[in-house]
Amino acid sequence: MKKKLTLPVQILIALLLGIGVGIVCYAAGLGSFTKDYLKPFGDIFVNLLKFIVVPVVLFSMIEGILSMGDMKKVGAVGWKTVAYFMVTTAIACVIGLALASVFNGAGLFPTLSAAGVTYEASEFSGFMSVLVSIFPSNMWKAFSDANMLQVIVIALFFGGSILAAGEKGRLCRDIVSSFYAVIDRLMAFIIRLSPIGVFTYMAWVVATQGAEILGSLALVILCAYLGYALHAIIVYSTAVKVFSGIGPLAFFKGAFAAMMFAFTSTSSAATLPVSKECAEQLGADRDIAAFVLPLGATINMDGTAIYQCVAAVFLAACAGMHLTLGQMVTIVLTATLSSIGTAGTPGAGMIMLTMVLTALNIPVDYIGLIVAVDRLFDMGRTCMNVTGDISCSICVTRWERKNFRR
Ligand code: ASP
């Protein structure tokens, strides 16, 4: 009997094929061919994921809350989740900052001139208005804008209210369960297409941006990737081992499909369906994963935090600044906050980098120096963002269930 290849194996093959085809197309000068004829298939796939992401977040969170049975339990899961996110993100910032300082101190970062580069930054409206904007005034607008924080707030209110309504809320409860079952099938179907997305995106990135890896920013990119790898190896491996007993190899093997999908799609939100599958297979409780993962894909961005620290140190050096201890603390604080505010969509972390630069008084135009290679940074940081969410769902499951078993 022929054995069917598992999804992670299919994704690995797609990734390698994509790299191979990308190199050939790059050598043959067919970069625009990959952009015009291969990337669109990846875009179709990502569009499919994006179109289900709002219902996935909404129904999976409500379903998670309903299965937990009472808001006390939701609160317990909630604070543990947020505590895990905050601690790991702060460590990520320290790792990113330390590595970047070592690279910078050793003179490994190039000093580029920002003369002539421009970058149009969007205005930040301040903390209080950000807080207000989390609460939707129009539910449908939150859905149509795919404003994930607002969708999460809606899910929390609805989930809590259905529970509070008791027997009278039974119909709503059944509707949510039924919708969720359908969305689950839909996700499973779309995920089966993920090797196509991985292959086409990889071929396009290698054919059009592969040369950048060898360009002047090579060492800055390397520094960020070292940070991502260290964070994964030190923080996630230790956390899952200590709290759930899962060894690092088994963890990364289990998370592989989501990591690779995040790497190529550069969107944590679009990777959600894949992360859910990986987390559940690694032993995360279904309700807890349904709650933790959408929240993580919206506010937990350790890879982004590392990238923002590395980029801030590099751009500060380009601006001729020598960072004081106080400025380093500023980087850690602002990178933690701005990574929380970063949406799980491609390139969002670079937009939020403006917040860190502004706090350091570095002109945001300096972002123009790294904008061309942002996708290369983004691939690694999204991969880490998603890995962090999966590790959190496993740890929280272990904290909530005394008899955790894979
Ligand atoms: N692309 C990242 C994500 O979706 C966010 C970022 O740009 O840092 O997780």
Side-chain angles (χ1 to χ4, degrees):
M1 199 180 73
K2 260 217 289 197
K3 225 176 121 208
K4 245 189 116 219
L5 295 177
T6 59
L7 185 69
V9 175
Q10 288 179 23
I11 288 188
L12 182 64
I13 295 172
L15 187 81
L16 296 176
L17 265 181
I19 294 175
V21 169
I23 292 174
V24 171
C25 288
Y26 173 68
L30 290 175
S32 57
F33 167 81
T34 57
K35 179 165 174 274
D36 295 339
Y37 296 101
L38 287 182
K39 181 175 175 276
F41 289 99
D43 291 342
I44 291 178
F45 177 66
V46 169
N47 282 353
L48 285 178
L49 284 168
K50 279 193 193 150
F51 108 84
I52 55 163
V53 80
V54 169
V56 167
V57 171
L58 183 72
F59 289 111
S60 91
M61 280 202 99
I62 301 183
E63 169 83 2
I65 292 169
L66 295 182
S67 329
M68 286 187 225
D70 72 296
M71 284 313 269
K72 259 221 217 102
K73 167 110 192 272
V74 176
V77 170
W79 82 256
K80 284 174 191 146
T81 304
V82 172
Y84 184 96
F85 288 166
M86 296 300 290
V87 171
T88 52
T89 305
I91 299 175
C93 286
V94 173
I95 291 179
L97 191 63
L99 261 182
S101 303
V102 169
F103 267 63
N104 194 28
L108 295 174
F109 282 163
T111 320
L112 306 180
S113 156
V117 295
T118 51
Y119 179 77
E120 198 68 45
S122 44
E123 277 290 310
F124 281 109
S125 37
F127 178 75
M128 285 323 265
S129 55
V130 170
L131 184 70
V132 171
S133 71
I134 294 174
F135 296 88
S137 61
N138 180 336
M139 191 162 81
W140 308 116
K141 188 155 182 330
F143 297 155
S144 67
D145 292 349
N147 184 327
M148 287 310 159
L149 271 180
Q150 293 192 349
V151 175
I152 287 172
V153 169
I154 293 170
L156 282 173
F157 277 115
F158 266 95
S161 306
I162 295 173
L163 281 178
E167 202 37 48
K168 286 231 170 94
R170 162 127 268 153
L171 180 61
C172 266
R173 186 186 277 255
D174 291 345
I175 289 174
V176 169
S177 292
S178 169
F179 259 112
Y180 188 57
V182 174
I183 301 256
D184 216 34
R185 295 312 319 141
L186 189 56
M187 277 195 302
F189 170 70
I190 297 175
I191 288 170
R192 261 194 271 149
L193 305 175
S194 54
I196 300 174
V198 169
F199 164 73
T200 51
Y201 268 3
M202 207 56 214
W204 161 64
V205 169
V206 172
T208 57
Q209 306 198 14
E212 307 284 358
I213 298 173
L214 306 169
S216 60
L217 291 172
L219 286 170
V220 188
I221 296 173
L222 178 73
C223 178
Y225 273 78
L226 269 179
Y228 302 150
L230 274 181
H231 189 61
I233 293 169
I234 300 174
V235 180
Y236 301 146
S237 302
T238 313
V240 286
K241 180 74 195 161
V242 170
F243 297 121
S244 70
I246 299 177
L249 270 185
F251 171 67
F252 289 116
K253 196 166 159 230
F256 181 77
M259 289 172 77
M260 284 308 107
F261 189 69
F263 186 71
T264 44
S265 71
T266 64
S267 170
S268 313
T271 310
L272 247 184
V274 194
S275 345
K276 274 188 93 235
E277 192 148 304
C278 292
E280 281 169 25
Q281 269 174 17
L282 276 166
D285 199 279
R286 205 175 132 86
D287 334 330
I288 291 178
F291 182 86
V292 170
L293 295 173
L295 195 62
T298 312
I299 64 167
N300 182 41
M301 309 274 168
D302 294 356
T304 303
I306 293 172
Y307 152 81
Q308 288 175 342
C309 289
V310 171
V313 172
F314 166 62
L315 296 177
C318 292
M321 277 170 66
H322 292 284
L323 295 172
T324 61
L325 191 66
Q327 285 169 321
M328 292 195 185
V329 174
T330 305
I331 294 181
V332 171
L333 289 178
T334 48
T336 305
L337 288 178
S338 77
S339 71
I340 293 172
T342 299
T345 51
M350 190 187 68
I351 297 170
M352 294 300 284
L353 177 63
T354 49
M355 196 171 141
V356 184
L357 297 187
T358 309
L360 291 173
N361 282 326
I362 299 174
V364 288
D365 276 348
Y366 274 77
I367 293 185
L369 290 173
I370 48 172
V371 72
V373 289
D374 186 58
R375 184 144 193 126
L376 298 176
F377 283 116
D378 200 359
M379 291 164 86
R381 62 185 193 241
T382 312
C383 177
M384 274 314 100
N385 293 345
V386 161
T387 314
D389 302 339
I390 296 177
S391 72
C392 179
S393 66
I394 296 169
C395 293
V396 174
T397 298
R398 175 61 191 78
W399 293 329
E400 287 296 304
R401 302 243 178 288
K402 299 292 161 267
N403 54 348
F404 177 81
R405 230 179 320 112
R406 280 192 71 193

